[in-house]
Amino acid sequence: MSNLRDRLKKIAAERKDAPQAAPAPRADPAPRAVCAQIVREAEIPPLRLSANALALMGGEAFSGLRLAPEDLLFLDTETTGLSGGVGTIAFEVGVGEVLGERMRITQLYLRDYDEEEDLLRRLLPLFAGKRAVVTFNGKSFDLPLLTSRCTLYRLRAPWQEMAHLDLVHPARRLYKLRLRSCTLGDLEEKILGAPRAGDIPGREVPALWAQFLRTRDEGPLQRVFEHNFQDVRAMALLLQALARAHDEPEGQMHFEDLYSVGRIYDQAGRADVAERCYAHVVTGSCRVRAGQALHRLYRRQGRAQDALRLLEEMAASGAGGTFPYVEMAKLYEHRLHDPARALRCTDLALALSRDAAEQAELLHRRARLARRLDGSAVSKRTKSTRERV
């Protein structure tokens, strides 16, 4: 054992005395590929954003949040695919910053895949000092895609800690009843009154990127950059239109929009504003929807007489089919305790109904009311007999 120990000491001493080789020089890391950038400005009207409108549009994340237009960052991406998923990247990102009555729009774009990390690193500082990000359909597409790409490069995505206003949702709540389709292009044309001429459809964008990779000709991509530029600017204009509609609900020109903004206030617990909106619409093209919504509001508040008056007006105008008669039957039976009138309303509803399930329910109600009335009549006859005796 001692011999082995001596031999190990000798080997260690020899290694210590031996000249040390100089460490091999470390190779400098390859420089990171640099993405391209375009910076342009666009004129926009002054944005006026009340805390009320922001809360109605953005929900809890914007409750009590007071923002200046300069606090917002508008973002839109152009991607290599429209369905997301593995392999899809944003080859171009446009961000807009409000500067008074102008918007500075910075567009970062790739000329090859190896420039993606640089694009993301250049994108992140643009969020510095901003308090909210505004997108159109960004909640389900743009931001999740960018977040996943940042994760790949171990970058922190600042938008995850910011309030996010996705304009597609308030736009649908307000305009879908009238417009049906609420793409950004539809909203530009029918709400903003500014249809685009010669714009490239979004579905063609991935093909132009693929073509650029083959030919290295940036010419066709200029249409993509212009499309993105207009998208970012349009979001600011749409935000202004939506904010005005939420702040001035009774100023809507179309009954469908007035009813829709009433629903928004109703769902937010602002029954006073909702009632005024519904009341204006009761005589318009959405009178049935508005009448039903106004009746629900009265019922929640226990306003039986207001509800009855509304239902009588709906029945007199022939609006709502069986609805006003069914609801009047319920009111008379359960709130006003008048089974005779409840039975008459039930019979009127039965005469109008064409739905088997509804008819069965009405027949059940009629039988119950008839039994109640018969029982009441028997009770009265018995009481009268006793009094005569």
Side-chain angles (χ1 to χ4, degrees):
M1 190 69 174
S2 59
N3 290 338
L4 178 59
R5 187 181 297 113
D6 293 340
R7 290 172 63 187
L8 290 173
K9 288 181 179 180
K10 182 178 179 181
I11 292 171
E14 290 174 351
R15 287 183 176 178
K16 184 177 181 180
D17 295 338
Q20 299 294 317
R26 296 180 61 183
D28 293 332
R32 187 169 60 239
V34 177
C35 74
Q37 175 177 294
I38 303 170
V39 180
R40 299 168 60 186
E41 289 192 357
E43 292 185 5
I44 58 171
L47 295 183
R48 295 179 176 86
L49 305 173
S50 71
N52 171 67
L54 286 171
L56 288 170
M57 289 188 289
E60 186 177 349
F62 287 85
S63 179
L65 193 59
R66 295 186 176 276
L67 298 174
E70 291 75 15
D71 293 325
L72 306 176
L73 191 75
F74 297 80
L75 180 144
D76 184 57
T77 66
E78 306 301 332
T79 63
T80 58
L82 300 179
S83 58
V86 177
T88 299
I89 67 169
F91 71 85
E92 196 262 342
V93 181
V95 294
E97 303 170 82
V98 178
L99 308 171
E101 296 185 17
R102 301 189 68 79
M103 173 178 269
R104 181 171 62 210
I105 300 175
T106 302
Q107 295 174 291
L108 305 168
Y109 68 95
L110 307 181
R111 289 160 300 191
D112 215 328
Y113 288 102
D114 61 351
E115 297 176 359
E116 183 185 23
E117 182 179 358
D118 185 67
L119 182 148
L120 294 172
R121 290 186 179 278
R122 289 172 181 264
L123 173 65
L124 302 187
L126 297 176
F127 285 82
K130 305 300 179 183
R131 300 174 62 196
V133 57
V134 182
T135 67
F136 192 88
N137 201 34
K139 187 170 290 186
S140 61
F141 187 76
D142 301 73
L143 292 190
L145 175 61
L146 290 174
T147 300
S148 68
R149 303 311 295 179
C150 284
T151 301
L152 181 66
Y153 294 103
R154 296 193 175 107
L155 300 174
R156 185 182 63 83
W159 50 83
Q160 292 183 299
E161 301 167 7
M162 298 168 61
H164 177 198
L165 178 57
D166 188 339
L167 294 177
V168 73
H169 302 295
R172 285 174 178 168
R173 287 194 293 267
L174 184 56
Y175 298 123
K176 189 172 183 179
L177 182 60
R178 176 165 63 93
L179 302 184
R180 302 295 188 270
S181 173
C182 286
T183 66
L184 188 55
D186 290 328
L187 294 167
E188 280 187 273
E189 179 179 353
K190 297 171 184 176
I191 302 302
L192 304 179
R196 296 188 199 178
D199 186 40
I200 180 174
R203 63 181 179 275
E204 295 182 13
V205 168
L208 286 178
W209 163 251
Q211 176 185 334
F212 163 71
L213 288 181
R214 292 193 304 271
T215 65
R216 295 298 167 179
D217 178 9
E218 288 193 14
L221 283 185
Q222 300 306 313
R223 296 179 64 199
V224 177
F225 303 149
E226 183 62 25
H227 170 83
N228 179 264
F229 178 86
Q230 295 298 336
D231 277 355
V232 174
R233 178 177 180 272
M235 283 192 284
L237 303 181
L238 178 60
L239 175 59
Q240 179 66 82
L242 287 167
R244 186 183 305 115
H246 285 76
D247 277 333
E248 304 169 9
E250 295 172 73
Q252 302 310 298
M253 297 177 58
H254 301 274
F255 283 119
E256 295 91 344
D257 299 348
L258 184 53
Y259 165 76
S260 297
V261 77
R263 286 274 293 164
I264 292 168
Y265 272 91
D266 200 351
Q267 292 169 356
R270 296 285 302 279
D272 54 336
V273 180
E275 181 178 351
R276 294 199 300 270
C277 294
Y278 294 152
H280 284 307
V281 182
V282 163
T283 58
S285 58
C286 289
R287 63 185 185 276
V288 175
R289 290 175 183 267
Q292 292 173 344
L294 191 54
H295 172 260
R296 287 192 296 268
L297 188 152
Y298 288 153
R299 189 175 60 194
R300 288 198 306 268
Q301 296 178 340
R303 296 161 61 180
Q305 291 300 326
D306 288 333
L308 183 60
R309 186 191 69 253
L310 170 67
L311 293 168
E312 288 173 343
E313 291 172 356
M314 292 181 69
S317 66
T322 64
F323 174 80
Y325 297 106
V326 171
E327 295 301 323
M328 278 194 289
K330 294 177 183 178
L331 268 175
Y332 279 124
E333 181 181 4
H334 301 297
R335 297 296 302 276
L336 304 177
H337 308 294
D338 190 339
R341 288 188 177 181
L343 182 59
R344 285 197 293 273
C345 291
T346 302
D347 286 337
L348 289 169
L350 270 168
L352 291 173
S353 179
R354 298 294 182 269
D355 181 81
E358 183 183 51
Q359 289 173 359
E361 185 177 343
L362 288 169
L363 287 170
H364 179 75
R365 179 184 299 278
R366 191 187 190 288
R368 183 179 66 248
L369 289 167
R371 288 194 302 271
R372 183 175 174 182
L373 286 169
D374 288 344
S376 177
V378 169
S379 177
K380 286 180 180 178
R381 286 196 300 271
T382 302
K383 181 179 180 181
S384 177
T385 300
R386 286 175 178 171
E387 289 175 350
R388 287 198 301 273
V389 171

